[in-house]
Amino acid sequence: MTAVLPGDRTPSSEMPGGGGNGFLMLGLLALLLLVSLYAILALAAGDESMLPVVIAAGLLSLFVMPGFYMVQPNEAAAITLFSAYRGSDRNAGLRWTWPWMGKKKISLRARNVISQTIKVNDQRGNPIEIAAQVVWRVTDSAQALFDVDDFAAFSSAQIEVSVRTIGARYPYDDFEHKEVTLRGDHERIGDELRTE
């Protein structure tokens, strides 16, 4: 998916980045919880020197917990720092990043769109009704999230424009079989629709 932007602003581009293995931080969190439990039990038994340990372990646990996030297969998480893009994490599983980092997920799965049937005039001026079935997927999570307002609606609009353009570029049928037609040259029309 490529977004066309007005002016001299360049499109966003996905770059690898983001979080790390969440299981390491999960182990650290479990260790902090065990230390907290031990310190609380010691504090309850009358050992006043464990109060700073309880407070420190509790604060560290509260710091670690908000950093966890999950990435499903065929999904990406765009990581931002105060709204500035820092990279996309495509590694599936339990992940962790600094708690102040924003995490916005986007599906990279294939999507199937059947465009609305629209009326256009073919190359010879004959009115025809045309539609297309398009299978597409997000290939650049940064462009999809940051360059257009709603990437699914953007893609649908681009599909409709492409169908109109291709429909007007060729005649519907050629009885002499000398021209490329919408009806007879499916592969070539499909390639041009993909390019458009």
Side-chain angles (χ1 to χ4, degrees):
M1 179 171 112
T2 302
V4 178
L5 300 173
D8 50 12
R9 186 175 180 285
T10 58
S12 300
S13 181
E14 181 177 291
M15 60 184 175
N21 189 336
F23 290 105
L24 295 174
M25 294 308 285
L26 189 61
L28 176 63
L29 183 61
L31 181 65
L32 286 170
L33 293 175
L34 287 175
V35 168
S36 294
L37 181 62
Y38 173 77
I40 289 171
L41 291 175
L43 189 61
D47 187 358
E48 301 275 334
S49 66
M50 288 302 207
L51 183 60
V53 174
V54 170
I55 293 171
L59 289 175
L60 280 173
S61 296
L62 290 175
F63 174 78
V64 168
M65 283 191 280
F68 288 105
Y69 62 100
M70 294 285 293
V71 177
Q72 302 295 327
N74 286 318
E75 186 177 64
I79 307 298
T80 58
L81 175 63
F82 306 117
S83 298
Y85 176 64
R86 294 292 178 221
S88 292
D89 189 355
R90 289 182 174 228
N91 299 311
L94 181 64
R95 310 292 292 161
W96 187 87
T97 190
W98 297 108
W100 50 81
M101 303 291 263
K103 303 163 259 314
K104 185 162 180 150
K105 295 180 186 175
I106 184 169
S107 174
L108 304 176
R109 294 176 181 96
R111 298 164 193 244
N112 190 22
V113 175
I114 300 174
S115 70
Q116 293 182 350
T117 302
I118 55 176
K119 293 180 181 182
V120 297
N121 292 334
D122 71 357
Q123 183 188 37
R124 294 186 180 135
N126 299 321
I128 60 171
E129 290 185 345
I130 189 169
Q133 180 176 356
V134 179
V135 178
W136 65 276
R137 74 174 62 227
V138 171
T139 57
D140 190 311
S141 61
Q143 276 189 343
L145 289 172
F146 305 123
D147 287 353
V148 293
D149 193 29
D150 179 354
F151 67 91
F154 175 82
S155 297
S156 295
Q158 295 303 307
I159 289 168
E160 183 177 336
V161 168
S162 299
V163 168
R164 283 187 188 281
T165 302
I166 297 297
R169 189 176 296 163
Y170 296 102
Y172 176 73
D173 205 357
D174 176 27
F175 297 109
E176 297 173 5
H177 304 292
K178 293 182 180 178
E179 294 181 90
V180 175
T181 63
L182 296 171
R183 183 176 175 200
D185 297 293
H186 299 288
E187 288 184 25
R188 181 166 175 182
I189 300 300
D191 288 343
E192 287 201 32
L193 183 61
R194 188 176 300 115
T195 302
E196 191 74 28

